[in-house]
Amino acid sequence: MSVKVWLKSRVADRVLSPVREELIELIEPGATLLDIGSGTGDLIFRSAPKLAKGLGIDSDNGMINYAEEKRRKEGVGTVKLACIDVRDGEWILFLH
């Protein structure tokens, strides 16, 4: 695990926890969530029980690998993850 992923998962996710709880309260049951800049996937995983489906996108492959491992361990089938740099303007994504 890189230092960046470790810091995000151990420090930033904890600091952001209260804000994420407030956001999760705003999500309607059965919603679809697109989380751009999903990092370790903390928000989308915590939202998963309310979601019909969710997609977490991050440009950092290490973050997505960490989140994908967590997704598999927790068996979160409603969430998909993708490593895409949305800033480059040369991507296309189809969701089904």
Side-chain angles (χ1 to χ4, degrees):
M1 176 185 314
S2 73
V3 172
K4 182 178 178 181
V5 173
W6 185 88
L7 282 171
K8 178 78 171 78
S9 66
R10 302 293 192 272
V11 179
D13 286 345
R14 288 183 185 166
V15 170
L16 293 170
S17 184
V19 173
R20 289 180 176 153
E21 286 300 318
E22 289 185 30
L23 289 172
I24 293 166
E25 286 181 30
L26 298 173
I27 297 172
E28 297 286 331
T32 299
L33 177 64
L34 173 61
D35 184 5
I36 298 176
S38 61
T40 63
D42 187 59
L43 174 63
I44 202 159
F45 291 134
R46 290 169 59 182
S47 303
K50 295 179 92 173
L51 302 178
K53 57 186 168 181
L55 175 64
I57 296 175
D58 202 280
S59 63
D60 187 300
N61 197 49
M63 295 285 184
I64 291 298
N65 288 340
Y66 177 89
E68 181 59 32
E69 184 177 322
K70 185 176 178 180
R71 188 194 67 76
R72 281 194 304 265
K73 283 181 183 176
E74 295 182 9
V76 183
T78 56
V79 170
K80 297 197 183 302
L81 302 158
C83 184
I84 301 170
D85 189 344
V86 297
R87 300 169 295 178
D88 69 13
E90 297 181 18
W91 56 272
I92 188 164
L93 180 65
F94 294 97
L95 301 177
H96 301 279

